[in-house]
Amino acid sequence: MKKRALFKTAVAVAALCAAGAGFAQQVTLRLHQMLPPQATIPAKALIPWAQKVEKDSGGKIKVQLFHAMQLGGAPPQLFDQAKDGVVDLTWTVLGYTPGRFNKAEAFELPFMTTTAEASSKAFQEYVEKYDADEFKDVKLICVHTHGPGLFHTKEPVTGLESLRGMKIRGGSRVINNMLTKLGATPVGMPVPAVTEALSKGVIDGTTIPWEVTPALKVSQLVHNHTTFAGKYGLYTQTFAFAMNKASYEKLPADLKKVIDDNSGMVAAAMFGKAMDDGDKVGHEIAVKAGNKIVALDIAETQRWRRTASVVESDWVAEMKGKGIDGAKLAAEARALVDKYSK
C-alpha cells in the first residue's frame, strides 16, 4: 500500500512539474506601433499576425498590442525600442531614421515599385540577399512597402507646374529630395502628424498611399488626389516589423519555430496584400466623397519620370561616398520588383 501511495504521489508531483514547465514557457510579447488600431496595418496585418502566432503556439505566446505610441516615445524611436528591448516587437517606417538604412533606400527611388504585395516580396528578398547587415541588431520578422505613391492636395495637381511651390509632406529624405526636384517644398514629418498639419495649413498636401487616408481623415481634409500612368508608383516608403533579439533567443525551440514560420516572405506578402487591399478602400472613400481624382496620362507621367530621375543619380553618388555600390543595388531592386510584378 505504501508503495502504491508513493507511486501516486510521484505521479502527481511529476504532473505538477510538467504543468509548471508548460506554464513557464508561456510568454507575453509587447508590440508597439504608431497608428490607431483601425488603420490598415494594425487592423489587417499586425492583429492577424498576433492572432496567428498565438494560435500556432497553442496559446503559449500572447501578443499584447500597444497602438498609437501608447508606450511613449516618437515614431522615429520605434526601431530602437525593439533593438534595445524597451518592447519586444515594433513596426515602423525605415525612412524615419535618415542615414541608418542606406541600402534599403533603393526601394524609395522614384518609379521603382509597383503593387505593395509584389514590391514587398521583392524588398524582402532584397534585404535577405543584400541588406541583412542593416538589420543585424534585431530579429527581423519582415520588411515591406506600400502601394503606388500619389499626392493628396488641397489644390489639384494636374501637372508638374501646378505642384511647384506647394508645401508637401514627405516621409523620408529620399522622398523629400524627390519633392524638391519636382518643384515642391518638402515638409518632413511622421505620418501620424499629417492630419493636424493639413487641418492647420502647415502643409498643402501629402505623399501617402491610399490605404492610410481613412485613418488620417485625409479625404475629408483635402479633395484632390493625383495618380500616375503605368504600373509603377511615383514613390514608396519602406517598413520593418522587428523583434528584440534577446526576446527571441530566450524562447524555447518550439516557440522560435512559431515566430520563424510567421516571418520572412510569408509575412512580407501578408503585409503587402493588406496594403493593396487598403488602397482599394481608401480610393473608394475618396470617390464616394466626390473628391477629384486626377489621373496623369502617359506623356505627363514621363515628364515626372525624367524630372525625378536625378534623385536616383544623387542617391547613387551619395552611396558611392559611403562605399556602397548604389547603381548595382538599384538595378537589383528593379530586377526583383519586375520578378514579382509579372
Side-chain angles (χ1 to χ4, degrees), residues 12-337:
V13 169
L16 284 170
C17 288
F23 178 78
Q25 286 184 347
Q26 293 179 345
V27 294
T28 298
L29 301 176
R30 298 192 305 165
L31 195 168
H32 197 205
Q33 62 89 26
M34 74 191 83
L35 294 177
Q38 70 271 20
T40 299
I41 287 297
K44 303 299 183 182
L46 292 174
I47 292 173
W49 184 89
Q51 291 170 340
K52 188 166 187 302
V53 164
E54 290 180 11
K55 181 181 177 182
D56 291 356
S57 69
K60 291 180 181 178
I61 297 176
K62 178 175 175 56
V63 181
Q64 195 173 8
L65 289 106
F66 295 90
H67 304 289
M69 303 306 298
Q70 282 178 288
L71 297 180
Q77 297 170 330
L78 280 166
F79 190 86
D80 279 338
Q81 287 186 358
K83 179 181 76 72
D84 297 337
V86 176
V87 294
D88 303 294
L89 293 152
T90 61
W91 172 79
T92 192
V93 178
L94 296 176
Y96 288 174
T97 49
R100 184 168 188 173
F101 300 99
N102 293 299
K103 297 176 187 176
E105 288 178 339
F107 274 72
E108 295 180 15
L109 296 172
F111 296 101
M112 174 65 75
T113 56
T114 59
T115 65
E117 184 173 359
S119 300
S120 295
K121 289 178 179 178
F123 188 33
Q124 181 68 35
E125 183 172 337
Y126 173 91
V127 166
E128 290 174 4
K129 284 184 174 180
Y130 309 110
D131 195 15
D133 60 305
E134 292 186 336
F135 299 90
K136 66 182 186 305
D137 293 329
V138 297
K139 160 68 177 176
L140 188 63
I141 304 298
C142 73
V143 292
H144 70 98
T145 74
H146 64 61
L150 67 155
F151 287 101
H152 312 269
T153 52
K154 293 180 180 179
E155 297 297 326
V157 174
T158 56
L160 267 175
E161 290 74 17
S162 56
L163 181 70
R164 287 173 187 159
M166 281 193 185
K167 293 178 292 183
I168 304 292
R169 174 265 176 184
S172 76
R173 70 185 198 94
V174 173
I175 292 172
N176 287 340
N177 186 31
M178 177 194 74
L179 291 172
T180 299
K181 295 297 192 294
L182 293 172
T185 301
V187 181
M189 67 181 69
V191 74
V194 166
T195 304
E196 184 178 3
L198 283 172
S199 63
K200 290 186 175 181
V202 174
I203 54 176
D204 302 312
T206 184
T207 55
I208 53 173
W210 280 116
E211 60 82 19
V212 79
T213 56
L216 301 179
K217 304 187 186 322
V218 168
S219 293
Q220 298 170 35
L221 293 168
V222 303
H223 306 293
N224 300 280
H225 315 271
T226 299
T227 65
F228 297 82
K231 67 180 182 178
Y232 296 96
L234 175 64
Y235 64 89
T236 195
Q237 290 214 247
T238 56
F239 305 80
F241 183 23
M243 184 174 184
N244 175 257
K245 267 192 168 182
S247 297
Y248 172 78
E249 291 298 339
K250 70 184 180 184
L251 293 174
D254 61 329
L255 298 189
K256 281 182 182 175
K257 185 176 187 304
V258 170
I259 298 296
D260 292 343
D261 288 348
N262 288 282
S263 298
M265 191 63 75
V266 65
M270 181 182 78
F271 278 65
K273 185 178 186 305
M275 285 290 203
D276 285 334
D277 292 344
D279 278 348
K280 295 172 187 174
V281 173
H283 179 267
E284 189 174 336
I285 288 171
V287 170
K288 285 184 177 179
N291 288 2
K292 182 177 182 179
I293 299 175
V294 178
L296 299 182
D297 62 21
I298 294 174
E300 182 62 22
T301 297
Q302 283 299 112
R303 289 183 68 214
W304 288 68
R305 184 187 283 268
R306 287 192 297 271
T307 305
S309 64
V310 70
V311 175
E312 184 166 332
S313 302
D314 287 350
W315 182 78
V316 168
E318 184 182 357
M319 290 303 105
K320 185 177 181 180
K322 296 182 178 184
I324 297 170
D325 190 344
K328 179 182 178 182
L329 290 178
E332 295 290 354
R334 196 163 278 114
L336 286 169
V337 170

Side-chain angles (χ1 to χ4, degrees), residues 1-9:
M1 291 294 290
K2 284 184 178 180
K3 286 183 178 179
R4 184 177 297 174
L6 285 170
F7 178 76
K8 286 182 177 179
T9 301

